[in-house]
Amino acid sequence: MSESEINVQDLRNSLKKCVLEQVMIPSHILNDIASRFKPQKIESGDHFTKPGRVCRKMAYIQDGVLRMYNYPDGNEITLWIGSNNRFITDLSSFIYQKSARWYIEALEPSHLLTITRENHYQLINKYHEWIEFDNRLLTSAYTIIEERMFSHLYMSAEERFKKLLEAEPELFNKVSLKYIASMLAMTPETLSRLRSKQTA
């Protein structure tokens, strides 16, 4: 077995583990699902998709960090940062095949497994287990948006910072503070002050 084949097998094993944490799936079905995902490596600064393009793939991040962002009113806003064992896509573009609204950029060299929209819907039509997993992904995406809106409306900057630090502490070692600050709807100076206070 070649090194590239070993790497693909490792990627798919990681994907299988992620899926099984959410839904119980027989091994023969899980193998078919994993076989529909193709490996892709993107370098730091490369884009998985951009506004104006139709997003035709969904990605599982086996290793790396990807950021969703855009420039409303000319100011760069980070919507979400995804890291290991997360799925990412421009959801409305992927589902409805309309122009994407978000840049999705790798912040470091990242190993992905991607599935095309065609294969995704073939799996939905074939396996009820994949429907269940897809529903969990959609629920997770909706919950993230709902929690983000609630936190911006009702939580202080310090509370938002502490919540993210508890949930994903590794982001603070891998991602520029200006991107994290943007995602948390605060200035980099405020985030830096809160971090200093946390470590004092």
Side-chain angles (χ1 to χ4, degrees):
M1 184 179 290
S2 69
E3 182 178 352
S4 61
E5 288 172 326
I6 293 172
N7 290 339
V8 172
Q9 184 176 347
D10 288 344
L11 286 168
R12 288 186 173 143
N13 285 339
S14 176
L15 171 66
K16 290 177 185 179
K17 181 179 178 182
C18 178
V19 172
L20 286 173
E21 288 173 353
Q22 300 293 324
V23 179
M24 292 304 300
I25 300 181
S27 60
H28 69 284
I29 295 178
L30 189 58
N31 288 336
D32 185 23
I33 290 170
S35 72
R36 308 294 184 103
F37 284 78
K38 306 303 178 186
Q40 178 181 349
K41 182 180 180 182
I42 59 175
E43 300 297 335
S44 179
D46 288 350
H47 285 86
F48 180 72
T49 193
K50 293 181 177 181
R53 299 177 183 174
V54 176
C55 185
R56 305 185 191 280
K57 295 190 293 183
M58 175 170 62
Y60 167 71
I61 308 170
Q62 193 271 338
D63 179 73
V65 181
L66 275 72
R67 177 176 73 109
M68 297 182 70
Y69 69 98
N70 208 323
Y71 299 91
D73 301 322
N75 297 312
E76 184 178 287
I77 299 295
T78 296
L79 175 69
W80 187 67
I81 299 170
S83 56
N84 298 6
N85 304 318
R86 300 292 185 91
F87 285 81
I88 193 167
T89 189
D90 186 302
L91 191 58
S92 61
S93 180
F94 181 73
I95 293 175
Y96 298 112
Q97 291 296 274
K98 61 184 182 180
S99 293
R101 292 181 291 188
W102 298 99
Y103 294 92
I104 300 179
E105 175 192 22
L107 297 182
E108 64 181 29
S110 301
H111 293 91
L112 314 176
L113 279 174
T114 66
I115 187 169
T116 65
R117 183 179 185 275
E118 179 183 8
N119 271 313
H120 173 66
Y121 281 99
Q122 284 178 0
L123 290 174
I124 283 178
N125 291 329
K126 191 173 183 181
Y127 301 123
H128 71 84
E129 292 92 345
W130 190 246
I131 295 176
E132 183 179 353
F133 184 72
D134 185 55
N135 286 339
R136 289 175 182 256
L137 288 182
L138 291 173
T139 300
S140 176
Y142 177 81
T143 301
I144 288 171
I145 293 171
E146 186 181 60
E147 289 185 348
R148 183 72 50 78
M149 292 177 63
F150 181 87
S151 67
H152 288 182
L153 288 170
Y154 295 105
M155 298 175 70
S156 67
E158 184 170 8
E159 288 171 332
R160 294 196 300 274
F161 162 69
K162 287 182 176 179
K163 183 177 180 181
L164 182 62
L165 183 63
E166 290 172 3
E168 300 185 70
E170 71 281 356
L171 284 185
F172 290 86
N173 298 320
K174 301 175 96 175
V175 177
S176 170
L177 286 185
K178 69 177 181 179
Y179 299 147
I180 297 176
S182 175
M183 186 173 69
L184 293 175
M186 64 181 71
T187 65
E189 292 77 17
T190 296
L191 179 57
S192 180
R193 176 176 55 80
L194 291 172
R195 284 197 77 197
S196 298
K197 181 179 176 181
Q198 182 75 19
T199 57

